[in-house]
Amino acid sequence: MKSLLILGAGGFGQMIQETARLIGYAKVVFLDDAVKGEDVIGKCCDYQAFLGEYDTAVAALGDNGMRLYWTEKLMEAGYKVPAIIHPSAVVSPSAEIGNGSFIMQRAVVNTHTVIEHGVLVNSGAVVDHDSHVAKGAHIGLGSVVKANCNIDVKRKVEAGEVVFSTRRKIDGVTNRNLEDALYAFGFGNQCSYVKPFGQGHINETYAVYMPTDAGDEFAYILQRVNNNVFKDPAGVMENIFGVTEYLRNVIRDEGGDPDRETLSCIKTKAGCTYFEDSEGQPWRCYHYIPNSVCYQLVEEPEQFYQSGNSFGHFLKQLGNYPASSLKETIPDFHNTVKRFANFQRAVKRDIKNRAITCRPEVKFALEREADCGVLVKQQEEGKLPLRVTHNDTKLNNILFDADTGKGLCIIDLDTIMPGLAANDFGDSIRFGAATAEEDERNLDLMHFDISLYEMYVKGYLEGTDGVLTPEEIESLPWGARLMTLECGMRFLTDYLEGDTYFKTAYPEHNLVRARTQFRLVDEMEQQFEKMQEIVRQYC
């Protein structure tokens, strides 16, 4: 016969007696210093005398300090001190309930919550997931302890009170918006630290490290998106989720690994594709792809071949994706005619009085107005089809497998939109077939490397594998020439307008970038026939 000795025969003790009988204790008696009755068999100080007759006991005392004191005395004496859980309570199998704690009628203790010993969770109270209630605490009638809370020793949460999580300090967090984003994506209570990551011009990016048995691990990439550039963050993220989820199925059908060969986006805890901070700036999150590397500049010719193959294959993989369903998140992004018009307007307005500092560069761009319409005209005439294009095909937007050196995953999908194959091809060439970085001050170091161009052509056409039309193939050299010109005009426009688009490190940064692009355009023009011959050779 199961028997229970209860210290405390007051109202709370009577509640525990009823509950004990409901869960199978046939004989339930009390020790109490004041209350008398036929089931009160002694005073609390007599507890050791009854250990032989009653090996199981609890302390049902309403005062937190007294309940904790007597719970620990019973444990020290050698009693079994069980948790008493009312049959109507809901307790997660993963929750831990300590000795001598009481979970009363219709109380809820959720997943991975820890209740230490001598705790009272009163009727109708809720202790949500991943919370920790220290010994001797009292969670009052109908109160709510929200997720990830810590309740101190012997604290009383008043009836009906709502307790919100107190955020922990996270190393590397220097502002509230970053902290809010970490919590929005569910990392705030676990992550070890964060630190800046990458070398992008536009967005603010962080590496998020999580604890593992082997130590801290780079697990996620958290990014604050510049909504001065991307004015439709919902559309950007709708495009990214749509394309990456589609690619997972394509990659799986090809026998690849979708967790490594495309980005894996994460939604917020509220199920949103992005989080908006207190300043209205959007944040998004991806899984980090381990054992991968990213190159800022071509170090070996094979890397540029792999880059071409990767972007070509990317275009082929998305060949059946409904391009019309994509949001045009930056209208006319690669409409070189309109980019030229924007440049002309910036020169005319000259709002920062900078035009006098860049007269040769302004003249260079103005002399190429007719070139700007070559691809746009072919598109308007229906000679060049619209495809799902990346629209920012720099080498550093590819992750390479660290072991094999092969292109692994296309990243930075902010500008994925309908576009021309020539534009994607050309943007890669203007970045990767250059002998210096795009902000190199010494122009003597900046040249167009036609051997690298040839490596890319070979890889790109192998990757597209017959998908491109003859007209598209013929347009590729023009894509290289015009995307480089367009990028130079964009840098120069931003310089004239006060550096509102691209991140800059010093006042002339965008002008330096424009000069490098125009140097490349000049050398491409000199070798244009050779560029056309190379494309025809590999098609």
Side-chain angles (χ1 to χ4, degrees):
M1 180 177 66
K2 291 178 63 177
S3 299
L4 179 68
L5 180 65
I6 301 176
L7 274 66
F12 179 37
Q14 299 296 320
M15 292 170 63
I16 297 306
Q17 183 185 56
E18 288 182 358
T19 301
R21 287 172 174 163
L22 286 173
I23 61 177
Y25 288 96
K27 184 177 181 182
V28 184
V29 295
F30 296 100
L31 297 179
D32 194 282
D33 292 347
V35 178
K36 294 185 177 181
E38 60 182 39
D39 53 359
V40 178
I41 61 174
K43 292 186 176 183
C44 291
C45 62
D46 298 329
Y47 70 101
Q48 289 181 314
F50 292 96
L51 181 58
E53 186 176 353
Y54 299 94
D55 64 350
T56 304
V58 294
L61 300 163
D63 181 85
N64 290 351
M66 291 299 292
R67 183 175 63 256
L68 178 59
Y69 171 82
W70 282 108
T71 297
E72 292 179 345
K73 295 293 283 185
L74 292 171
M75 293 164 62
E76 291 169 4
Y79 279 97
K80 298 175 185 175
V81 185
I84 303 295
I85 301 173
H86 195 277
S88 67
V90 178
V91 178
S92 167
S94 65
E96 299 178 21
I97 311 298
N99 293 337
S101 286
F102 305 99
I103 315 297
M104 304 307 292
Q105 295 95 325
R106 301 189 181 278
V108 176
V109 180
N110 261 329
T111 309
H112 300 308
T113 281
V114 175
I115 307 291
E116 293 189 357
H117 61 274
V119 170
L120 168 57
V121 180
N122 222 324
S123 303
V126 176
V127 186
D128 207 358
H129 67 85
D130 296 289
S131 287
H132 190 110
V133 182
K135 60 187 180 180
H138 176 187
I139 312 301
L141 295 162
S143 60
V144 176
V145 175
K146 302 199 78 172
N148 301 298
C149 284
N150 288 293
I151 304 300
D152 293 335
V153 174
K154 296 190 287 188
R155 175 180 171 182
K156 183 177 182 181
V157 176
E158 297 294 341
E161 181 181 352
V162 178
V163 179
F164 294 86
S165 173
T166 300
R167 291 182 175 180
R168 54 190 281 271
K169 184 182 184 301
I170 303 169
D171 288 343
V173 173
T174 56
N175 62 78
R176 183 57 185 256
N177 288 324
L178 173 56
E179 181 183 90
D180 287 345
L182 287 166
Y183 276 90
F185 285 100
F187 308 141
N189 286 291
Q190 291 83 36
C191 72
S192 301
Y193 63 95
V194 299
K195 66 180 183 179
F197 179 75
Q199 300 182 41
H201 291 332
I202 296 171
N203 299 319
E204 181 181 317
T205 308
Y206 297 89
V208 180
Y209 287 78
M210 303 294 283
T212 70
D213 291 341
D216 294 331
E217 178 182 272
F218 185 0
Y220 305 102
I221 292 173
L222 184 64
Q223 194 168 59
R224 192 187 200 195
V225 180
N226 185 340
N227 64 359
N228 291 321
V229 176
F230 301 105
K231 300 183 185 301
D232 179 16
V236 169
M237 294 311 299
E238 181 181 332
N239 286 353
I240 292 174
F241 269 87
V243 165
T244 54
E245 290 174 0
Y246 177 88
L247 282 172
R248 288 184 68 85
N249 291 324
V250 173
I251 292 165
R252 193 176 288 109
D253 290 343
E254 293 175 343
D257 182 352
D259 290 332
R260 286 180 60 74
E261 295 175 32
T262 188
L263 292 175
S264 182
C265 309
I266 300 171
K267 292 185 177 179
T268 68
K269 292 172 67 177
C272 300
T273 57
Y274 67 98
F275 164 71
E276 187 173 290
D277 65 26
S278 62
E279 297 176 9
Q281 293 280 353
W283 294 74
R284 41 85 178 301
C285 189
Y286 303 103
H287 284 278
Y288 171 67
I289 299 175
N291 201 38
S292 62
V293 293
C294 183
Y295 300 103
Q296 297 302 314
L297 197 65
V298 175
E299 298 174 4
E300 300 287 342
E302 175 67 16
Q303 293 167 356
F304 205 39
Y305 165 82
Q306 289 294 333
S307 171
N309 191 266
S310 294
F311 279 119
H313 188 57
F314 183 76
L315 182 139
K316 181 183 179 182
Q317 287 177 315
L318 293 168
N320 293 322
Y321 190 89
S324 61
S325 68
L326 292 172
K327 306 289 185 183
E328 193 175 6
T329 51
I330 304 180
D332 298 310
F333 184 58
H334 279 322
N335 186 320
T336 313
V337 172
K338 292 190 176 181
R339 292 291 189 184
F340 184 84
N342 292 340
F343 162 68
Q344 281 184 308
R345 185 174 62 251
V347 173
K348 182 178 180 180
R349 291 180 175 180
D350 193 19
I351 60 175
K352 296 295 182 178
N353 294 317
R354 288 178 167 181
I356 194 172
T357 66
C358 54
R359 285 174 177 171
E361 292 75 25
V362 169
K363 181 176 182 292
F364 183 94
L366 290 174
E367 289 174 346
R368 285 156 178 79
E369 179 177 5
D371 289 349
C372 293
V374 171
L375 293 180
V376 172
K377 182 179 179 182
Q378 290 184 59
Q379 178 192 331
E380 291 173 347
E381 293 174 348
K383 295 178 180 178
L384 298 177
L386 285 178
R387 297 187 179 275
V388 178
T389 49
H390 185 279
N391 294 298
D392 192 17
T393 51
K394 299 190 295 289
L395 178 70
N396 59 5
N397 281 334
I398 300 176
L399 296 181
F400 290 80
D401 188 289
D403 294 330
T404 67
K406 292 184 177 181
L408 178 65
C409 176
I410 304 297
I411 61 173
D412 198 359
L413 304 180
D414 289 333
T415 52
I416 195 157
M417 291 179 285
L420 299 179
N423 292 342
D424 268 7
F425 173 88
D427 207 24
S428 286
I429 297 301
R430 73 105 195 156
F431 185 84
T435 58
E437 295 191 42
E438 63 184 16
D439 55 2
E440 174 57 58
R441 293 174 185 257
N442 184 356
L443 286 180
D444 291 338
L445 300 177
M446 175 58 82
H447 299 287
F448 169 59
D449 188 330
I450 198 162
S451 64
L452 286 174
Y453 169 84
E454 183 171 356
M455 291 289 289
Y456 192 89
V457 168
K458 181 175 186 294
Y460 185 79
L461 291 178
E462 287 178 2
T464 54
D465 192 22
V467 168
L468 299 179
T469 67
E471 292 79 9
E472 285 179 295
I473 293 172
E474 285 293 318
S475 74
L476 296 181
W478 271 108
R481 185 167 154 181
L482 291 181
M483 285 304 96
T484 310
L485 175 62
E486 179 186 295
C487 191
M489 289 192 302
R490 289 174 62 198
F491 285 138
L492 190 53
T493 299
D494 201 32
Y495 173 71
L496 292 167
E497 293 179 339
D499 309 314
T500 61
Y501 187 96
F502 298 104
K503 287 183 180 178
T504 56
Y506 51 90
E508 300 81 23
H509 201 165
N510 272 322
L511 178 56
V512 168
R513 290 166 172 156
R515 287 169 177 161
T516 63
Q517 300 311 292
F518 292 163
R519 166 59 64 89
L520 293 174
V521 171
D522 180 60
E523 294 193 359
M524 287 180 188
E525 290 172 349
Q526 296 175 41
Q527 303 181 72
F528 196 61
E529 289 185 5
K530 178 64 174 175
M531 292 170 66
Q532 292 174 313
E533 290 173 10
I534 289 171
V535 166
R536 292 167 189 150
Q537 175 186 342
Y538 288 100
C539 68

